[in-house]
Amino acid sequence: METFRTAGINAKAEPRMDAWLRTHAAFEVPLGQAIHAAGGPAALADAPDAVRGMLHLMRQNLAALDTPPVPRAFAALRALPQGLLVAVLRRFLKSPTAAHSALNAPSPAAAAELERLAEQLRAPAGAR
């Protein structure tokens, strides 16, 4: 932490790092796979049924976590109405943030990594 702060990077320790990583994977894997399948974030945004399917997988992954999501804000993906979340996700996917991020530069290696993470998410908790 000291090294980051010395470099001017505002950093905070995460005491529940394993839960944070699992929460991130529960969200990121369906997002990355849906973007890859659609051909990019903008293409996914133009396919509301695919966004709904992606959201369904995110919710399924979050429900399967053996701990509450970290950060807690991810619990909103399970609680907020589907229609609202689909609209928000589609807007994000059309945004400059998505267009100028790694989400818009899929690679075969990234696709393979996402598939491996998806397998791990599907595995029973004791088998990890």
Side-chain angles (χ1 to χ4, degrees):
M1 299 305 306
E2 183 180 324
T3 302
F4 283 120
R5 290 180 181 146
T6 300
I9 299 170
N10 187 17
K12 179 182 140 192
E14 176 52 64
R16 297 167 294 157
M17 194 57 172
D18 188 62
W20 187 95
L21 288 168
R22 290 178 189 277
T23 301
H24 182 75
F27 176 83
E28 179 63 26
V29 169
L31 175 65
Q33 288 184 316
I35 287 172
H36 183 74
L44 178 57
D46 290 336
D49 287 340
V51 175
R52 276 188 284 281
M54 175 189 73
L55 178 60
H56 174 77
L57 289 174
M58 288 174 179
R59 286 177 159 178
Q60 192 174 33
N61 290 343
L62 289 168
L65 293 176
D66 52 2
T67 61
V70 175
R72 286 182 296 194
F74 276 92
L77 289 173
R78 291 181 58 203
L80 292 173
Q82 179 185 23
L84 173 65
L85 289 172
V86 168
V88 168
L89 288 166
R90 290 181 71 206
R91 184 173 183 157
F92 164 73
L93 291 164
K94 291 179 182 181
S95 74
T97 300
H100 301 296
S101 73
L103 294 172
N104 205 23
S107 71
E113 181 180 358
L114 288 169
E115 181 53 38
R116 178 68 179 121
L117 288 168
E119 290 170 9
Q120 292 173 348
L121 284 169
R122 289 188 298 264
R128 291 185 193 137

